[in-house]
Amino acid sequence: MKSKKILIIGLVWPEPDSSAAGTRIIQLIKLLLAETHQLIFACAAGKGPYSFDLSGLGVTEQTISLNHSSFDAFLQEINPEIVIYDRFVTEEQYGWRIAEHCPDAITILDTEDLHGLRKARQQAHKHQKDFNPDAVFSDPVTIREISAIMRCDLSLIISEAEMLLLLEKFRIDPSLLCYIPFLEEPIKPADILQWKKYQDREGFMFIGNFLHEPNWNTVQVLKTKIWPALSKILPGVGMHIYGAYCSQKITQLHNVKERFYVHGRADDSLEAISMHRILLAPILFGAGLKGKLIHAMRTGTPSVTTTIGAEGMPGELEWNGLVTDDLEEFPQFAAQLYTNKELWTQYRNNGIAIINERFEKTKSSKAFISMLHNILTNLEQHRKHNFTGRILRFQTMNSTKYMSLWIEQKNAADQSR
């Protein structure tokens, strides 16, 4: 494929050491750079101390303004051939401007995960109800998200479970979707030799970005439902919590007497995981793929999680630990795995197969590059095939456009006072 100028519009600047979403976008960036494309990453959010240095990869960084005509001038200057939206809300914010100033640019939505699915599951959990998959149909976030998918030329879906939902429940045309999970390097024998052994590890652990509600909820479950029982089964063993953006409500859970340790941000998430024997992730709601579980496999660390935690990951393969939704069984499973070296080693090896057979980067990246090439060479026909998307672009973008222009004028009036 001939080198193209690609604009990526991010909701935030990537922080791969803080979240799986940050890791995901960096993986996509590296994939596109390997194809010799020229990349510009634009974002209206402020940079933080943990923002990734994209310029070090050869990516042009550009700060932009939301609801401001300066973005139009920026578009006209760079004239991108491909535009990637990082999450559906960036498509809502900037899509109409792209359509107006770069109508021939291919538009790609990286969904990260299905936000509407995650929200519907969270609402079911909040109201202590069993999750009904049909609940996603009436959720406003789902409607917005599916509309964004239809408006774009291609959407990247991280989980096979979410691919099935979009294809079977929402009847999205397969030509608009591309399954591309985490893009992992294969685990090689030399990597395995570097892993810490069973006897060199201590305690249980959990890690997550605490701006993400499912992670905060998981720590609450660990503290109130899992650890009280598990700590009695294994006295002397510790539970270690790591994570970015660790607020006071989380740090106050630290209790040395209970052996429940809140460490805050880990300088190196892989190193933090590898120090401990088992990762516990009793995730009760969420969507997409869980980066913490991928990292556990990469470090030879078995895990105990729920069906939502493991969703879309093992396929037909055996999990690298145990999966249960019964919170009373969860501590028993965790204790069994912690104390049985043979079982621990067996499950650790299952993780090698999952990474190498399910997430090795060339497996799905080739399909993505092929789909992108086909759209580039047949864009007009591709868009004719998606006439519903054309309707949504016409109707929705006009309303978004005039709302954005109204906000711009209001901001200008406020500044002139």
Side-chain angles (χ1 to χ4, degrees):
M1 187 193 307
K2 185 180 176 183
S3 177
K4 301 294 181 183
K5 187 180 292 185
I6 301 177
L7 170 64
I8 302 175
I9 308 176
L11 182 66
V12 295
W13 293 97
E15 292 187 12
D17 292 331
S18 300
S19 71
T23 298
R24 157 68 161 197
I25 195 66
I26 295 299
Q27 288 179 343
L28 288 175
I29 286 170
K30 288 180 177 178
L31 169 61
L32 293 167
L33 287 173
E35 295 291 317
T36 71
H37 297 302
Q38 178 186 348
L39 268 63
I40 303 115
F41 191 97
C43 183
K47 274 193 170 186
Y50 302 103
S51 298
F52 189 86
D53 178 21
L54 294 170
S55 63
L57 295 178
V59 177
T60 301
E61 298 180 348
Q62 179 68 44
T63 300
I64 55 177
S65 297
L66 183 61
N67 299 314
H68 199 279
S69 57
S70 59
F71 183 74
D72 302 342
F74 166 64
L75 283 178
Q76 291 166 357
E77 178 185 346
I78 64 169
N79 191 27
E81 295 155 286
I82 300 171
V83 176
I84 300 176
Y85 304 108
D86 177 21
R87 301 177 180 85
F88 79 92
V89 291
T90 58
E91 189 276 339
E92 289 181 328
Q93 293 164 341
Y94 298 98
W96 70 269
R97 293 183 186 272
I98 299 295
E100 194 165 278
H101 297 285
C102 307
D104 295 326
I106 290 176
T107 55
I108 300 173
L109 172 61
D110 182 26
T111 58
E112 299 289 353
D113 62 31
L114 291 184
H115 295 59
L117 175 62
R118 179 177 3 122
K119 186 183 174 188
R121 284 174 168 167
Q122 183 174 352
Q123 288 300 309
H125 173 73
K126 179 180 177 180
H127 296 291
Q128 299 181 327
K129 296 180 178 179
D130 291 335
F131 174 66
N132 181 349
D134 290 341
V136 296
F137 285 96
S138 57
D139 191 282
V141 172
T142 297
I143 295 170
R144 291 168 56 195
E145 193 167 30
I146 297 299
S147 296
I149 288 172
M150 295 299 296
R151 286 193 295 266
C152 290
D153 296 311
L154 187 66
S155 289
L156 309 183
I157 312 301
I158 200 168
S159 166
E160 281 184 340
E162 295 180 1
M163 278 289 288
L164 286 174
L165 181 69
L166 293 170
L167 291 169
E168 296 179 0
K169 290 283 187 181
F170 291 97
R171 305 296 178 91
I172 304 296
D173 192 296
S175 67
L176 301 178
L177 305 175
C178 179
Y179 168 61
I180 180 165
F182 289 121
L183 303 171
E184 297 294 318
E185 296 288 343
I187 296 175
K188 300 176 181 177
D191 301 320
I192 299 169
L193 289 174
Q194 298 299 315
W195 287 349
K196 286 186 172 64
K197 296 179 173 59
Y198 172 88
Q199 61 271 20
D200 297 328
R201 298 168 179 246
E202 184 280 326
F204 299 93
M205 68 89 62
F206 174 79
I207 189 167
N209 182 332
F210 291 111
L211 295 178
H212 192 55
E213 188 65 25
N215 288 329
W216 161 233
N217 177 261
T218 299
V219 171
Q220 290 176 291
V221 172
L222 283 167
K223 176 73 172 180
T224 62
K225 300 194 174 168
I226 305 300
W227 190 242
L230 184 52
S231 63
K232 288 177 182 177
I233 302 172
L234 297 175
V237 176
M239 179 74 226
H240 301 267
I241 307 297
Y242 300 86
Y245 302 103
C246 202
S247 64
Q248 184 179 355
K249 69 181 181 181
I250 298 164
T251 57
Q252 69 185 7
L253 299 179
H254 179 83
N255 191 312
V256 175
K257 198 171 182 180
E258 296 176 357
R259 306 185 310 282
F260 195 92
Y261 306 104
V262 178
H263 301 282
R265 178 185 288 272
D267 293 333
D268 184 323
S269 59
L270 292 173
E271 178 63 26
I273 294 171
S274 69
M275 292 190 300
H276 304 291
R277 195 171 290 176
I278 297 172
L279 184 145
L280 299 182
I283 300 167
L284 300 185
F285 59 87
L289 299 180
K290 313 305 180 290
K292 58 184 69 60
L293 296 173
I294 290 285
H295 284 175
M297 295 178 204
R298 291 215 65 88
T299 57
T301 308
S303 62
V304 184
T305 189
T306 58
T307 52
I308 286 180
E311 183 178 68
M313 299 184 75
E316 299 299 319
L317 300 175
E318 294 293 325
W319 186 245
N320 79 315
L322 299 165
V323 177
T324 178
D325 293 325
D326 188 330
L327 296 185
E328 292 185 2
E329 287 185 347
F330 202 100
Q332 302 291 335
F333 282 13
Q336 178 190 18
L337 185 53
Y338 191 89
T339 56
N340 189 323
K341 181 179 178 180
E342 184 178 341
L343 192 63
W344 184 91
T345 303
Q346 173 191 328
Y347 287 147
R348 181 201 72 169
N349 293 337
N350 288 347
I352 300 170
I354 292 172
I355 293 292
N356 290 351
E357 295 183 32
R358 301 270 299 156
F359 297 104
E360 195 276 318
K361 63 181 183 180
T362 60
K363 294 181 184 296
S364 55
S365 60
K366 286 180 180 178
F368 167 54
I369 296 301
S370 176
M371 288 189 77
L372 185 56
H373 176 73
N374 288 337
I375 295 172
L376 279 165
T377 53
N378 300 285
L379 181 59
E380 184 178 355
Q381 188 61 33
H382 181 78
R383 287 182 174 173
K384 283 180 180 177
H385 189 65
N386 179 26
F387 192 73
T388 302
R390 183 175 177 182
I391 295 170
L392 287 171
R393 280 192 294 274
F394 179 80
Q395 296 287 352
T396 312
M397 286 188 175
N398 276 342
S399 62
T400 307
K401 170 182 177 178
Y402 291 111
M403 174 60 76
S404 180
L405 291 173
W406 178 82
I407 293 171
E408 183 176 352
Q409 291 299 315
K410 182 179 182 299
N411 290 342
D414 291 343
Q415 290 172 3
S416 65
R417 289 175 184 170

